């Protein structure tokens, strides 16, 4: 076996041992299968959920919430970051307030949000939006403010101003930092959603987990946990892919 | 990859060069201070159109400030600066600047850096300009893939794309190695001879000043203390003993001040 093949296998050694051990524990009933179902049971329940269309239905529910929340919260965070990065007045006017709100954990708002929005979609989207807004705000602001003043002076000398200055200099200059914010936000997005969906809902991965808890279906709970892991990984992969494409000029990505 | 050889520009005179006219610069009792600190005191100076003027002086003497005033990036605390008798801010004359660092935008390709700020179909012209600085094969590269000397050549191409009536050079060669610097000096000289813009160069390097300048101005503590014409024929070589003598005189002057 050559070196490259070994390197590709090594990351998977622990997960495979984990699953084999898990199967052994379940098969020999060292622990009740009600508490720890066998991996094979989990796979077959997953298969049933998929073929019945139930899984897709709940996944759609969660993904739509996540994306709408990201779009609204991320959009607001980005716009605030740009405006505060460019205009001193707006920065002085809003930044202190934003920093105060930022320090409230968004999940502390859950009771209030339920009173305001009920247990509707609105409540979950609101919580996700609040959660993702601040990392994107802070990193956009930081990105815009940290652009080399030399680039801006030079670009003005070459006649760039207004929208062109923003699109050709400020935005690309801030982009690496904005992507850092985005990737951080994606983590918060899933975290918020998991909690929000376990509170009160009729659709979504969290709902699936909560009903499974009531009926002691630990296999389904495990499926939902795996799903969140996969979603998180997928979102991060998408963000990294976007980063590689948008920042192909950046030293970290130049081949 | 070896650097492509520099293209000589002899035949460029036959092309139609749409160059705006070189500009004559006048400074009238210009004074500049930052807070309490007076950086330039009462400078009056006339720079003829198309002249290559080099400003030398020690660090902190105010020479870079003088250049920034001439670019319009900074305003004098008192006094006036005019281009062809028109105050800078109303002047249609175009000034471009080369800095010590190339200031190429890392997120634009070499070609797009050269065309920065232009509208319409500038691509063909930009490719031609890149060819003049010997870097056409690199037009689609990211700037960070280029060597320091190549980056400065791209910056030069970018400055020339705007057909400047005034080219300001703020120690653009000081970060380059000796051989690359000599190549760049030749290139700047050729392009200047060809396009006849007014050039204002700030440098530490007295030899560079003598190689390029029609006129060499020494600034010490915010004042002009030496202003000499240099009429030696171009291209200049330091095998010419009169140039070596001039170099020694200026150096001695700087060191003894």
């Amino acid at each position: 076996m050559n070196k490259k093949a070994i390197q590709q296998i090594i990351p998977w050694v622990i997960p495979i041992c984990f699953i084999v051990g898990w199967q052994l524990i379940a098969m020999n009933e060292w622990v009740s299968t009600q508490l720890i179902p066998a991996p094979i049971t989990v796979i077959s329940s997953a298969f049933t959920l998929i073929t019945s269309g139930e899984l897709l239905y709940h996944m759609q529910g969660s993904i739509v919430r996540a994306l709408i929340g990201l779009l609204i919260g991320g959009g607001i965070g980005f716009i605030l970051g740009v405006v505060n990065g460019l205009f001193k007045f707006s920065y002085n006017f809003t930044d202190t307030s934003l920093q105060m709100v930022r320090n409230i954990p968004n999940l502390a708002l859950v009771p209030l949000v339920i009173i305001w929005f009920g247990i509707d979609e609105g409540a979950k989207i609101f919580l996700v939006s609040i959660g993702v807004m601040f990392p994107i705000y802070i990193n956009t602001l930081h990105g815009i403010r940290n652009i080399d003043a030399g680039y801006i002076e030079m670009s003005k000398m070459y006649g760039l101003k207004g929208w062109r200055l923003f699109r050709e200099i400020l935005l690309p200059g801030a982009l690496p930092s904005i992507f850092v914010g985005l990737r951080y936000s994606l983590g918060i997005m899933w975290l918020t959603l998991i909690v929000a969906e376990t509170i009160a809902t009729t659709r979504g991965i969290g709902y699936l987990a909560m009903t499974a808890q009531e009926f002691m279906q630990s296999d389904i709970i495990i499926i939902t946990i795996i799903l969140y892991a996969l979603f998180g990984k997928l979102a991060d992969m998408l963000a990294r892919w976007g980063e590689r494409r948008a920042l192909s000029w950046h030293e970290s990505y130049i081949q | 990859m070896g650097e492509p050889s520099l293209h000589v520009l002899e035949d460029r005179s036959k092309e139609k060069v749409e160059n705006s006219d070189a500009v004559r610069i006048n400074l009238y009792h210009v004074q500049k201070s930052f807070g309490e600190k007076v950086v330039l005191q009462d400078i009056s100076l006339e720079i003829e159109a198309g002249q290559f003027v080099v400003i030398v002086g020690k660090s902190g003497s105010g020479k870079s400030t003088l250049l920034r005033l001439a670019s319009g990036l900074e305003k004098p605390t008192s006094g006036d600066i005019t281009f062809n008798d028109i105050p800078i801010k109303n002047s249609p004359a175009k000034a471009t600047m080369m800095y010590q660092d190339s200031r190429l935008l890392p997120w634009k390709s070499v070609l797009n850096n050269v065309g920065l700020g232009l509208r319409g179909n500038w691509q063909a012209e930009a490719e031609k300009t890149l060819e003049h600085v010997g870097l056409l094969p690199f037009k689609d590269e990211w700037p960070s893939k280029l060597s320091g000397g190549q980056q400065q050549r791209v910056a030069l191409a970018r400055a020339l794309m705007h057909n400047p009536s005034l080219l300001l050079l703020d120690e653009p060669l000081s970060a380059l190695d000796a051989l690359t610097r000599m190549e760049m000096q030749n290139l700047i000289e050729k392009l200047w001879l060809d396009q006849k813009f007014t050039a204002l160069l700030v440098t530490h390097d007295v030899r560079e000043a003598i190689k390029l300048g029609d006129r060499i101005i020494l600034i010490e503590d915010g004042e002009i203390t030496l202003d000499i014409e240099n009429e030696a024929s171009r291209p200049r070589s330091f095998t010419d003993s009169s140039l070596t003598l001039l170099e020694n005189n200026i150096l001695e002057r700087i060191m003894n001040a």
Side-chain angles (χ1 to χ4, degrees), chain A residues 7 57 73 78 86-87 103 119 130 183 206 213-214 223 234:
Chain A
Q7 271 190 348
Y57 171 77
F78 174 73
L86 294 179
F87 304 106
N103 283 303
I119 55 168
I130 292 282
R183 283 178 63 186
Q213 183 207 324
E214 280 170 35
I223 292 170
L234 190 71

Side-chain angles (χ1 to χ4, degrees), chain A residues 5 8 231:
Chain A
Q8 281 185 331
F231 278 170

Side-chain angles (χ1 to χ4, degrees), chain A residues 28-44:
Chain A
N28 298 317
E29 295 209 38
W30 290 334
V31 181
S32 156
T33 48
Q34 278 227 304
L35 299 180
I36 303 183
I40 295 193
T41 321
V42 174
I43 291 167
S44 75

Side-chain angles (χ1 to χ4, degrees), chain A residues 143-208:
Chain A
I144 298 263
R145 290 195 141 196
N146 278 289
I147 294 171
D148 188 341
Y151 287 148
I152 297 173
E153 183 193 287
M154 181 273 299
S155 304
K156 283 183 175 163
M157 196 157 192
Y158 286 96
L160 287 180
K161 53 188 169 208
W163 170 243
R164 274 191 92 186
L165 184 69
F166 176 73
R167 196 172 53 82
E168 295 188 36
I169 313 296
L170 299 170
L171 187 60
L175 213 52
S177 178
I178 294 172
F179 267 106
V180 172
L182 176 66
R183 283 178 63 186
Y184 192 76
S185 283
L186 289 176
I188 293 184
M189 176 181 83
W190 291 120
L191 182 75
T192 309
L193 202 65
I194 291 167
V195 178
E197 283 187 342
T198 48
I199 294 163
T201 178
T202 53
R203 186 180 179 183
I205 310 284
Y207 168 78
L208 205 60

Side-chain angles (χ1 to χ4, degrees), chain A residues 153-154 158 164 168 249 254, chain B residues 68 107-108 118 144 162:
Chain A
E153 183 193 287
M154 181 273 299
Y158 286 96
R164 274 191 92 186
E168 295 188 36
W249 52 269
I254 286 180
Chain B
R68 291 176 64 80
W107 49 83
K108 284 178 179 282
L118 296 171
S144 54
H162 290 258

Side-chain angles (χ1 to χ4, degrees), chain A residues 65-79:
Chain A
R65 273 174 206 145
L67 287 183
I68 294 178
L70 179 67
L71 220 62
I72 295 176
I76 294 174
F78 174 73
I79 290 169

